[in-house]
Amino acid sequence: MEPLLRVENLTVFFGKECNHCLKTTGPKMETNRCRACGTIVACQDVSFDLFEGESLGIVGESGSGKSTLINVLHFKTPAKGSMFIRSEFLPSSLKAFLSNHRDGYWSKNLLSISPYHKKRLREAIMGIVYQQPSLGLRMEVSAGGNIIERLLDAGWRHVGLMRTKASELLNKTEVPPERMDEPPRVFSGGMQQRVQIAKALVHTPLLLLLDEVTTGLDLSVQARVLDLIRNLKNEFGFSMLVVSHDLNVVKILCERTIVMRYGRIVEAGLTDQVFADPIHPYTQLLVASRL
Amino acid sequence: MKRLDHIEMFYNFAFINDEVKREVRRAIFKAIAIPGYQVPFGSREMPFARGWGTGGIQITLSIITPTDVLKVIDQGSDESVNAENIKRFVARVSPGIGITTDTTQATIIQTRHRIPEEPMRSDQILVLQVPYPEALREVEPSEVETRRMHAEGDYGRMWLYLYEDIVRFGEVRISYRYPVRVNEHYIMDPSPIPRWDVPKLNMAESLFLFGAGREKRIYAVPPFTRVEPLTFEDHPFRIENFNGAKCKLCGSFDTYLNEIIMTEAGERIFLCSDTSYCKKRRKQLGV
Amino acid sequence: MMLQVMDLSKVFLLHLLGGKEIRGCENVSFNVDEGEFLLIKGPSGSGKSTILKCIYRSYLPTKGDILYHSKKFGKVNLASISDRMVIELRRSEIGYVSQFLNVIPRVPALEIVLEPLIQNHSILKREARKRAEELLERLNIPRQLFDAYPATFSGGEQQRINIARALISNPRLLLLDEPTSSLDERNTATVIELLKEIKNQGTSIIGVFHDHQTVMPFADKIFSI
């Protein structure tokens, strides 16, 4: 029951910030745009722990900062605040650089390590699946190539072995391996998502980031993708961060849920508690509007 | 003779003045110190059109001394217009240098698209003209991004490009500008030499200097440096195969051959691409 | 003592209705010992399931303490421990059976039943499968339904899947919220038989039943609202 990841006071501004930014934004002010300077406060003081093998849901409407949060964790968006991973989970090749020598338990603040180390850490322990497959896949490159790119990054140089590995992964994500040489551009939406998932699983991630993965898919396809994710989680045991505006997705996948609005966490709790007994007015509205 | 005097009076030896030479030489030194790294330099206007070897000529003019012997080739040929023009220009602005077509006699060889057939020695420098110095340009249009990729050794996409070729065509299709890894570090564009010449860069005795005038980059492969073409373990690198064809003139079958269509009926012959080598061989054989 | 509920109250504050307050339960106190069965009785709407949901932490208690002697953490207050600890306890010690089955679509019945076993305990999938099959068989679920999706099942079948899911990992504390509401007499009797068995093994049970007459004889204590 130990945490894998600790996020503290994550704050993201889009724009030149001023002294009024934090005071004039947030759920109480019902906006995330600073009245004085127009800066967007995408996240403010977001803190949470993610435990080993846990799936944590983040719900909220668009503009609530949930996708920004996932981009910060994926080292795509810079942020203030801190993010730590348990030292023992650092890949051995990065331990020397990223261990915190004063505190053996947590790593250094991952938000302030070099871009090079961020990239290597991301490659080693994370996988991400986006709502739009075009963000996660190269549409002009074959489906197999998309997966193999991550193997190449890791130094694999044997075409035959890489293709075996890629077809195994595609098999796991229910994509017919005989289609691995076709570009994902010709695949259906659900299949594109499954290729993305296969790509995310290449290095057996510790942390899987899911950004609205089922949004825009047909209901039956949605169910299939969610089911697949759940089975893979049981098999691989990774932790997940599930961002969605669809409460049902979070309900199916997550044990704990965070509710965000205008860049702030307004409520956090066990998923069934958040849904059965929402405390914050916004969460009550959200749950009441559920289909 | 009158014109030569004129040039001697108004121009520095080897056309460009000493400050500029110093800058270019500094770039060359840095390039030698970091094999395969593209050093930016202030490429000057030359009395040539850009794209006609302005990068190569700036290197040649910066390193040439009156005791040097120069050879210039264009796709293996000593007699092409481009090669001839460059040779005459350098000779006119650099009084005292020697000009040759014999690879073994030259101390500096400026070339476009070929490396001579005869092995080069440690006292020789090969200056290659480069149109596109960035090997990663094929996969990434942004210069900022390619520099980052070089800095971080982020070459997955280049490899992916080769992988996709293998998937689609069964082999890597690149015939010219085959990307190489220099000194186990940077991926480098060897300039548009054929695959045939790529192995000659590896652990060579001579120094290779690459100049891209339009793109304002200089890079180098120092002597005895490992240069490996990018290949997969189960798909080895292969040079061109002429299927036993021979040079029509000298009969050579172990040189890089040009295929020439002679008649409208499509009758074709093969000729050595390296003309001076071909000539030398014919003389030896008495053909 | 296994569980001690002290002065428990739950008030729902409905912001959407202009801050209207709804009382779930008020000042509830009771104790449950190991292996004891507590039956909660009261008219509908009196807050019977509110109490169960507060213990299970589906509801956040407004006031009061719920002291539980856990195997894993010792004595804890379920009203205030971290979410993470609640998850751990739910996995290994506290089971809950509701009236309705609430699981993912497209997962076969057998998988749903054995899932908690695989998640929490280091047990072979084959072994888990066997136990799940035995349990479902005892609950009179026809074999051909094992691989079917429970979304299509009848109310009674869904309820029995639910019970099997809660019982499979032998919880120390079992919360039952009208688990037999859609079952016929024969199946109700089977469920009660099963409950008796695990009670004898030391499991404490707190239950709400729609017809208490059937379970009355085997209740140790009755709490009336």
Side-chain angles (χ1 to χ4, degrees), chain A residues 56-205:
Chain A
L56 178 63
I58 298 181
V59 295
E61 60 201 3
S62 41
S64 62
K66 54 194 194 323
S67 287
T68 303
L69 183 61
I70 232 171
N71 284 330
V72 169
L73 295 195
H74 201 230
F75 302 128
K76 287 282 161 68
T77 303
K80 296 177 182 175
S82 37
M83 168 176 163
F84 309 99
I85 181 178
R86 276 247 309 289
S87 291
E88 62 180 277
F89 288 110
L90 286 170
S92 50
S93 59
L94 291 173
K95 268 206 171 108
F97 305 105
L98 303 184
S99 296
N100 182 342
H101 300 296
R102 261 164 287 160
D103 177 355
Y105 191 73
W106 292 110
S107 68
K108 284 182 186 164
N109 181 1
L110 300 179
L111 296 181
S112 50
I113 60 176
S114 76
Y116 175 67
H117 284 140
K118 281 181 179 173
K119 186 182 142 61
R120 285 189 53 197
L121 185 64
R122 175 169 64 211
E123 270 301 306
I125 68 164
M126 291 184 200
I128 190 164
V129 184
Y130 296 97
Q131 175 185 350
Q132 290 160 277
S134 60
L135 288 177
L137 299 176
R138 294 184 197 286
M139 286 304 186
E140 72 289 353
V141 169
S142 67
N146 269 289
I147 293 163
I148 281 171
E149 182 180 5
R150 295 196 65 197
L151 294 172
L152 289 166
D153 273 334
W156 289 46
R157 293 291 179 265
H158 193 287
V159 174
L161 291 179
M162 289 191 296
R163 286 178 67 80
T164 311
K165 171 88 178 168
S167 60
E168 272 169 26
L169 283 162
L170 288 171
N171 213 4
K172 276 215 160 78
T173 55
E174 300 169 22
V175 178
E178 62 271 19
R179 298 193 66 180
M180 73 184 286
D181 293 336
E182 294 173 36
R185 158 168 61 76
V186 305
F187 290 176
S188 68
M191 196 137 104
Q192 288 178 350
Q193 287 311 63
R194 296 202 298 278
V195 175
Q196 268 206 87
I197 295 170
K199 182 173 184 174
L201 294 180
V202 167
H203 297 308
T204 336

Side-chain angles (χ1 to χ4, degrees), chain C residues 143-206:
Chain C
R143 231 166 206 289
Q144 65 261 34
L145 289 186
F146 286 9
D147 296 331
Y149 304 143
T152 58
F153 288 10
S154 73
E157 282 159 352
Q158 288 195 1
Q159 223 161 37
R160 277 174 284 154
I161 299 289
N162 227 357
I163 292 166
R165 188 175 152 92
L167 292 185
I168 193 155
S169 51
N170 291 326
R172 292 182 72 223
L173 174 64
L174 184 60
L175 308 169
L176 304 172
D177 192 355
E178 306 210 12
T180 56
S181 57
S182 337
L183 298 187
D184 57 22
E185 263 174 45
R186 186 172 78 103
N187 281 319
T188 306
T190 318
V191 169
I192 287 171
E193 199 54 43
L194 268 172
L195 292 176
K196 274 185 187 158
E197 270 173 35
I198 63 160
K199 179 171 132 48
N200 288 337
Q201 285 163 18
T203 298
S204 307
I205 303 173
I206 305 175

Side-chain angles (χ1 to χ4, degrees), chain C residues 105-116:
Chain C
R106 254 186 46 112
V107 182
L110 197 70
E111 292 281 320
I112 288 178
V113 173
L114 62 83
E115 190 180 59

Side-chain angles (χ1 to χ4, degrees), chain A residues 1-6 49-54 86 88-89 105-106 255-256, chain C residues 72-73 76 81-92:
Chain A
M1 217 195 48
E2 307 252 355
L4 167 74
L5 196 76
R6 169 161 289 176
D49 279 355
L50 180 69
F51 287 73
E52 280 180 66
E54 179 182 49
R86 276 247 309 289
E88 62 180 277
F89 288 110
Y105 191 73
W106 292 110
E255 298 149 309
R256 286 198 303 139
Chain C
K72 197 157 194 167
F73 307 112
V76 291
I81 54 171
S82 73
D83 293 330
R84 205 49 230 178
M85 280 168 92
V86 175
I87 290 174
E88 289 294 317
L89 290 177
R90 282 181 179 186
R91 282 191 171 173
S92 53

Side-chain angles (χ1 to χ4, degrees), chain B:
Chain B
M1 283 333 271
K2 202 161 175 239
R3 274 175 76 191
L4 189 68
D5 292 342
H6 178 81
I7 284 169
E8 276 185 324
M9 218 184 315
F10 290 97
Y11 287 91
N12 197 26
F13 174 79
F15 188 70
I16 49 182
N17 50 21
D18 288 344
E19 288 75 17
V20 176
K21 280 185 186 170
R22 191 175 292 161
E23 189 216 320
V24 176
R25 286 179 194 160
R26 279 195 190 122
I28 293 171
F29 280 136
K30 180 165 180 182
I32 294 169
I34 316 172
Y37 172 71
Q38 300 166 48
V39 185
F41 80 111
S43 178
R44 268 38 178 212
E45 283 302 325
M46 286 285 115
F48 293 91
R50 291 243 153 135
W52 290 83
T54 51
I57 196 77
Q58 283 178 83
I59 292 181
T60 302
L61 293 174
S62 299
I63 61 173
I64 203 161
T65 63
T67 56
D68 272 316
V69 180
L70 178 73
K71 168 183 162 83
V72 181
I73 44 176
D74 175 3
Q75 303 207 38
S77 164
D78 287 272
E79 288 97 25
S80 85
V81 177
N82 190 214
E84 202 57 44
N85 275 339
I86 290 173
K87 221 181 309 186
R88 271 162 45 193
F89 172 68
V90 179
R92 261 172 62 192
V93 298
S94 327
I97 65 158
I99 298 286
T100 183
T101 58
D102 185 347
T103 301
T104 54
Q105 299 294 310
T107 56
I108 298 173
I109 302 176
Q110 182 171 336
T111 176
R112 172 174 173 264
H113 299 195
R114 275 308 311 273
I115 295 175
E117 298 291 353
E118 285 165 286
M120 305 218 357
R121 299 183 313 266
S122 59
D123 59 338
Q124 295 179 306
I125 297 174
L126 192 73
V127 179
L128 290 105
Q129 301 168 202
V130 182
Y132 308 106
E134 182 51 75
L136 304 178
R137 191 62 73 231
E138 208 70 50
V139 295
E140 174 55 57
S142 155
E143 174 70 19
V144 175
E145 190 59 14
T146 51
R147 285 204 202 186
R148 184 198 60 73
M149 288 162 80
H150 281 300
E152 295 179 0
D154 180 8
Y155 291 138
R157 275 157 73 190
M158 189 71 226
W159 283 101
L160 181 61
Y161 178 77
L162 302 179
Y163 166 82
E164 285 290 301
D165 257 17
I166 288 174
V167 166
R168 262 184 253 172
F169 307 102
E171 62 170 346
V172 179
R173 278 175 317 163
I174 307 169
S175 52
Y176 292 88
R177 297 181 65 205
Y178 196 98
V180 292
R181 190 131 198 206
V182 181
N183 201 23
E184 293 168 33
H185 197 118
Y186 289 110
I187 286 185
M188 185 190 87
D189 183 311
S191 88
I193 55 175
R195 287 179 180 214
W196 185 273
D197 289 341
V198 171
K200 294 179 189 164
L201 291 167
N202 186 35
M203 296 309 273
E205 284 184 32
S206 58
L207 169 66
F208 299 97
L209 298 174
F210 298 79
R214 188 178 43 203
E215 303 284 328
K216 305 181 175 64
R217 294 286 184 277
I218 287 174
Y219 53 99
V221 174
F224 301 106
T225 303
R226 286 184 67 176
V227 177
E228 298 151 310
L230 303 189
T231 51
F232 293 102
E233 286 158 19
D234 50 347
H235 285 260
F237 176 78
R238 279 204 313 244
I239 57 171
E240 288 83 353
N241 180 1
F242 297 104
N243 298 317
K246 280 184 201 163
C247 173
K248 179 92 177 166
L249 298 175
C250 72
S252 152
F253 50 84
D254 58 354
T255 51
Y256 186 74
L257 299 174
N258 287 337
E259 186 177 4
I260 296 161
I261 297 173
M262 295 301 285
T263 63
E264 281 190 5
E267 189 196 332
R268 54 192 64 193
I269 59 161
F270 288 89
L271 292 177
C272 279
S273 152
D274 187 338
T275 53
S276 80
Y277 176 75
C278 191
K279 229 178 245 170
K280 216 183 209 177
R281 221 175 110 87
R282 271 180 281 158
K283 214 173 189 177
Q284 277 168 7
L285 295 170
V287 185

